Amino acid sequence: MTTSKTSSFYLTETVKLDLASVSGTIAQGTMDIGGLVNIASSEALAVEQVDFIWQVSDNYDAGLDAVAATNYTSIAQLTDSNPGTAFVRADDSNLIGSGSLNVDVPNNVATSDQDFFPDNFGKLSESFFAVNDNLYLVANIAGNAAVTTSSLYCTVRIKARIAKLSKQDWMALAITSTANSD
């Protein structure tokens, strides 16, 4: 049986796509959660909700059309195993959440989607349980665009809590987190 050891709290990580980043550029950030995961007492990080936030310029005050002169897309993923600067398929057991930003510059339209459901996991028993020491945020810029006028930042905001699992559940999660789909 899973029990909550803490109330909900928030963790964040940000990656930056610098000026002059060309289409296909991928940035990665690492969030150290080793101090929150305890093997000896079967404690894991229970991820309850994942949100992706995009901001533009080093002052975080520009519109999404300030990144590039043409249409662009940015994709972000949060995983609990290190993909390097790559993305994982949706059937990968280490994928916690993903989202995308699509910007149509000439028509001044931007859409942001969470494309891995559920990004809001609900009750504690429905949380994504992370037992590794790190979480990884990967984001890119793609399309015909290059980052030409202002940097693009992607922040992941995670609502989580510490949960105590049974020894069997903790071991099953540890095994699952190392058995990726290809």
Side-chain angles (χ1 to χ4, degrees), residues 49-151:
Q49 184 176 335
V50 177
D51 292 306
F52 296 96
I53 304 159
W54 278 269
Q55 293 176 296
V56 178
S57 92
D58 291 336
N59 293 325
Y60 319 110
D61 62 350
L64 294 169
D65 60 341
V67 171
T70 62
N71 298 343
Y72 67 92
T73 299
S74 183
I75 299 170
Q77 288 186 337
L78 179 68
T79 61
D80 74 339
S81 82
N82 189 354
T85 53
F87 291 102
V88 298
R89 268 192 350 221
D91 64 346
D92 190 305
S93 61
N94 297 108
L95 181 62
I96 301 170
S98 64
S100 64
L101 170 70
N102 296 294
V103 179
D104 180 346
V105 175
N107 293 308
N108 201 27
V109 176
T111 57
S112 178
D113 295 311
Q114 310 288 63
D115 57 20
F116 179 69
F117 293 100
D119 281 77
N120 187 347
F121 294 94
K123 302 182 289 187
L124 179 62
S125 62
E126 298 169 344
S127 295
F128 180 98
F129 295 100
V131 295
N132 295 330
D133 287 338
N134 294 298
L135 299 181
Y136 302 90
L137 171 63
V138 177
N140 78 342
I141 188 160
N144 296 325
V147 180
T148 56
T149 56
S150 293
S151 299

